[in-house]
Amino acid sequence: MKFIPLSLDGAYRVDPEPTKDERGLFARIYCVDEFASVGLYSSWLQCNVSCSTTRGTVRGLHFQRAPKAEIKLLRCTKGSIWDVIVDLRTESPTYGNWHGELLDEDNRSMLYVPKGFAHGFQTLTNDVEMFYFHSEKFSAPHQHGLIWNDPEVAIKWPIEVTRLSKRDLDLPFLKDLSPIDI
């Protein structure tokens, strides 16, 4: 696996290094030793999957607050997405900045999202499936988010937004979030 540091401190794109032959390919997407060798979290407590049927759907931007703040490792297993993270760590020099990555079933890349980041994505195809590793179990009292179209953050979504949940439409702006403890 290749661990590529992103523009936001602590975040990485993780690329598999597939071995190909006449049968197809084989690639490792997770190894506790390889993650530990670059100082990344490697004891996942929960795995989830999401499926989105419609191109242009935005899910997010979500995070959990302390003491249930979570690290995420995610991969698009079917279809294609524009995956976005936003640094919410108030002491960080990149506070309020965002980073986007194309994740799809062909590149098999993953995104490693540290604590203190909001995460969301936009589907670029119909019938998208996402697979998530989480360092914490889901905790409803600690779930929170950031509105997808905050003008201060100014995420450049690649296509027209076609679908959002009621919950995601009601999320606060960055200026209205209380400081994030990690």
Side-chain angles (χ1 to χ4, degrees), residues 134-152:
H134 297 266
S135 65
E136 283 289 340
K137 296 176 188 169
F138 174 74
S139 175
H142 298 94
Q143 70 177 332
H144 212 334
L146 172 69
I147 190 78
W148 69 279
N149 61 348
D150 187 320
E152 184 178 349

Side-chain angles (χ1 to χ4, degrees), residues 1-147:
M1 287 178 284
K2 294 179 190 171
F3 296 88
I4 297 105
L6 302 179
S7 60
L8 304 177
D9 187 42
Y12 288 82
R13 189 179 77 229
V14 181
D15 289 341
E17 296 181 291
T19 303
K20 297 178 182 181
D21 65 20
E22 67 281 352
R23 300 168 294 169
L25 67 80
F26 175 86
R28 180 176 310 137
I29 62 164
Y30 176 74
C31 173
V32 66
D33 295 335
E34 289 184 52
F35 272 70
S37 74
V38 291
L40 300 182
Y41 182 85
S42 59
S43 298
W44 307 106
L45 298 183
Q46 183 172 303
C47 293
N48 297 318
V49 65
S50 71
C51 298
S52 301
T53 57
T54 307
R55 180 180 186 264
T57 297
V58 169
R59 287 184 181 252
L61 301 155
H62 303 143
F63 63 94
Q64 287 191 171
R65 290 189 172 277
K68 296 294 183 180
E70 61 186 343
I71 299 164
K72 295 178 184 176
L73 178 66
L74 37 103
R75 179 173 173 240
C76 180
T77 54
K78 181 180 178 192
S80 180
I81 66 159
W82 179 245
D83 204 66
V84 174
I85 56 175
V86 179
D87 189 348
L88 299 178
R89 302 169 300 178
T90 53
E91 303 302 318
S92 171
T94 57
Y95 171 75
N97 292 352
W98 66 276
H99 179 88
E101 287 282 329
L102 175 70
L103 302 180
D104 63 30
E105 63 187 84
D106 294 325
N107 69 23
R108 296 179 178 87
S109 293
M110 297 184 293
L111 203 62
Y112 179 90
V113 184
K115 290 180 184 180
F117 283 71
H119 167 259
F121 63 88
Q122 183 178 43
T123 60
L124 303 178
T125 60
N126 290 330
D127 301 318
V128 166
E129 183 176 279
M130 290 290 295
F131 188 82
Y132 308 74
F133 291 91
H134 297 266
S135 65
E136 283 289 340
K137 296 176 188 169
F138 174 74
S139 175
H142 298 94
Q143 70 177 332
H144 212 334
L146 172 69
I147 190 78

